[in-house]
Structures are given as C-alpha cells and as structure tokens.
Amino acid sequence: MRSPKFRLLGLAVAPLIFLSACGSDTGGTDEASQSTGTDDAAATSIAPNGSAEDVTLTEADADGTTVPALELTKTPLSVGETSVQEIEPGEGEGATAEQDVELKYLAVNGTTGEEILSTFPTDETVSMSLANPNLLPGFLNTLEGSKPGQKMIIAMSPEDGFGEQGNAQLGIGPTDTVVFYVEVVGATTPLTQAEGEPVEPVEGLPTVEADGTSPATITIPEGEEPPAELVVQPLIKGEGKEIQSGQQVRMHYTGVKWSDGEQFDTSLQEGRQPFETAIGAQQVIAGWDEGLVGQTVGSRVLLVIPPDKGYGASEGHELQKETLVFVVDILAAG
C-alpha cells in the first residue's frame, strides 16, 4: 500500500484553470481557500443575467502582437447555466471522451471583466484530458465532440466551474462566472504505456521487467554501490515530442529503494490514474526535473536518483537517505 507520508514528488498540478477543486488527503483547508468563503459569496453574488451571447470577441495588443480579447456587454456577467457561442464550427472528427484535446484559450472573470490567463501571447497550446474526472464539468460537457479549427466562447456557470470553493490563486470567487474563448487545435488518443524503439541499457544498472500495465519489476544489481550522480537511462525511445521545461506531463511510474529493492510507490495499481504534473518547474524532486526534461513522449526511462536529488534535504522524510530507482512511462505532454 502507498505510504501516506510519500506523496510522490509533491502534488499533481494539471493546469489550475482546467481542474475542479478536489478533496484533500488531510481534510484541511489552506488560508487562500478560506479567503473566498461564504461571507464573500453573499457579498458578491448576483442573479443570473446573461449568457455566452453577451460576450464579444475582439482583439488586443500584447507586446506588438495582436491577440484575441473578450468584451462583456454587461459587468458583472452571471450565468445560471453554462452556455456556448460558436464563432467557427471547425472540421473533421469530433473529440471523444477518451481523447486529449489540444487547444489555445483565454479566460476572463465574468464578475470583474478582468483577464485571468491566456495562451495567445506566447502562441502556446495546452492539452486537456477529457478522461480526467477532475476536469471542470463545463469543459467535459462542451469539448466532447469539438473539432479541429473550432472556435467558441464558453460562459461557465460557477456550478460547472470552480463551485463553492472558487479558486483564490486565480482570483476566482465562489459565485464567479468564468468566460473562456477557446480555439481547438485537435484531439489525440493518449498512450496507455510506453511505445517506441527498445534501447539496450548500460551494464551495472538495475534490470527492469515491465509490461506497462502492472508495476515494473526492478532488480537492484547485487553487491553494487549506488551511483553518486543522477543516472538517466532510456529503456524505450518514444517517437513523440520532446518534453520542455514547464510542460504538463502524464506518466505511469514505479519506484523502489536501491538499499533493499522494496517498492515504495507505483501508479500502476487498481483505482489509480496516471500521474500528471509539471516537469522542470520544481513541482517534483530534482531527479525527475533534470532526468525527464528532453525525453520524448512514448519513452520508458530508468532514473537512479541519489539522495541530494531526491529527499536528501527533507529532514525526517522516510526516504531522506535513500537512492531512489524509478521506471517512468511518458504518456503525454502539453
């Protein structure tokens, strides 16, 4: 069973703008969440007064680049039910509930009219899993069936958005409507395990038996001292895109201790979803940040992580003095 003290490498932080509030393992509430409590809700709540049709797509200047902007015909704008204004219909096959949708987006707070986030100034795209149960219901209900090239404005009700907790980090209150402008780039079916060309590992490393559907069997070489430096050994070289620092990455993994070969965690057990986090953004231990940036989607990677790139600085952590060995299947990045 997974140790409650081992929260693999911090929290899985899929883009906050897409995820609903989830229950915490501790059952507690942080100060930021408390700042958008029921008293604030009562003070700012307004009756529904519009829909996505009350939003106009315009343009703005961002450092000399023309980017989409949204203009609300009424502020505050409040919707009782999520609604969609289609700007362009798109072409091709519609996205299914099992796929990842790649898109560009702009988000505006309907209560204040202020921009929250936008990918357009940097021309970045993000990938959103329609199979992720923590995706905002407003996206789950509107993006299934969306087509490449489709452009739409989504006025998302609080119930379909961030709900009673809001999202203090993004400045979204518990009764705020959030308005999105979305351009769909395409949809892909995500990998469920590594796919690509096998790579012959160098001698002296742990050996791995992995089928991609159950926890990997990792055997520590008998009598070998753990390496003092980070070891990154691809076992399968995937053909997907290269992981860039800061990207959101979806993975399956198994981790064991070099000292005794004991497994301390795996995502490949019944009831668990692939692990998803930002890589190269200090959301995970340094061995993952350094070892996975530059790898490709579809790859299976063996990481041997010395304590100074693992939990060496975490006083009292059960893995503080351990060299960690991971097998990671990189399933998606975006």
Side-chain angles (χ1 to χ4, degrees):
M1 179 177 292
R2 187 183 187 190
S3 165
K5 296 179 182 177
F6 183 74
R7 306 190 182 285
L8 175 78
L9 328 151
L11 297 175
V13 284
L16 290 175
I17 196 67
F18 296 148
L19 300 184
S20 59
C22 305
S24 166
D25 287 342
T26 63
T29 306
D30 61 27
E31 290 183 11
S33 297
Q34 292 173 3
S35 68
T36 56
T38 54
D39 291 342
D40 291 337
T44 59
S45 179
I46 61 169
N49 65 356
S51 71
E53 297 296 331
D54 294 298
V55 183
T56 302
L57 178 64
T58 62
E59 294 181 340
D61 180 81
D63 297 327
T65 301
T66 300
V67 297
L70 294 177
E71 182 177 312
L72 310 184
T73 59
K74 56 186 73 174
T75 304
L77 174 66
S78 174
V79 302
E81 296 182 355
T82 296
S83 58
V84 177
Q85 177 191 162
E86 187 168 83
I87 306 299
E88 292 185 19
E91 298 179 349
E93 296 292 326
T96 68
E98 295 77 29
Q99 289 188 306
D100 292 351
V101 177
E102 185 178 3
L103 50 80
K104 302 177 184 179
Y105 74 92
L106 160 68
V108 170
N109 189 316
T111 299
T112 64
E114 295 180 355
E115 181 177 305
I116 300 169
L117 290 170
S118 175
T119 66
F120 289 100
T122 57
D123 201 34
E124 293 178 307
T125 62
V126 296
S127 184
M128 185 187 309
S129 172
L130 298 187
N132 185 345
N134 293 322
L135 194 66
L136 296 180
F139 282 129
L140 288 171
N141 296 335
T142 57
L143 289 180
E144 184 176 352
S146 62
K147 299 178 178 180
Q150 188 168 354
K151 301 178 182 180
M152 66 186 102
I153 295 171
I154 305 169
M156 196 176 295
S157 68
E159 182 179 4
D160 285 346
F162 296 93
E164 295 179 358
Q165 291 185 331
N167 188 314
Q169 185 172 344
L170 296 172
I172 299 169
T175 61
D176 289 347
T177 291
V178 181
V179 183
F180 293 89
Y181 170 64
V182 171
E183 293 185 0
V184 178
V185 176
T188 57
T189 301
L191 298 175
T192 58
Q193 59 181 284
E195 290 184 6
E197 288 295 321
V199 178
E200 188 68 29
V202 300
E203 293 185 5
L205 294 179
T207 58
V208 175
E209 295 179 18
D211 60 12
T213 61
S214 57
T217 299
I218 304 170
T219 303
I220 306 301
E222 199 169 331
E224 291 282 346
E225 290 296 316
E229 303 294 331
L230 173 69
V231 174
V232 182
Q233 173 63 64
L235 302 175
I236 293 176
K237 176 67 172 177
E239 297 180 355
K241 59 186 176 182
E242 188 174 291
I243 295 174
Q244 305 295 319
S245 183
Q247 272 191 315
Q248 201 72 17
V249 181
R250 188 180 312 141
M251 299 159 281
H252 269 311
Y253 68 89
T254 300
V256 305
K257 296 179 288 183
W258 182 289
S259 61
D260 57 12
E262 180 185 348
Q263 177 183 299
F264 55 83
D265 197 15
T266 182
S267 64
L268 286 159
Q269 64 187 45
E270 188 175 354
R272 289 185 63 179
Q273 298 294 319
F275 178 67
E276 195 166 324
T277 190
I279 291 295
Q282 298 183 328
Q283 299 290 343
V284 292
I285 57 175
W288 275 50
D289 273 346
E290 295 178 22
L292 295 180
V293 169
Q295 302 298 318
T296 53
V297 173
S299 294
R300 174 171 295 151
V301 183
L302 173 70
L303 298 174
V304 183
I305 303 175
D308 66 318
K309 295 189 184 298
Y311 293 96
S314 300
E315 194 64 39
H317 195 287
E318 63 189 275
L319 299 173
Q320 181 182 7
K321 298 180 181 180
E322 296 284 353
T323 292
L324 309 177
V325 184
F326 286 97
V327 173
V328 181
D329 281 11
I330 302 173
L331 308 179

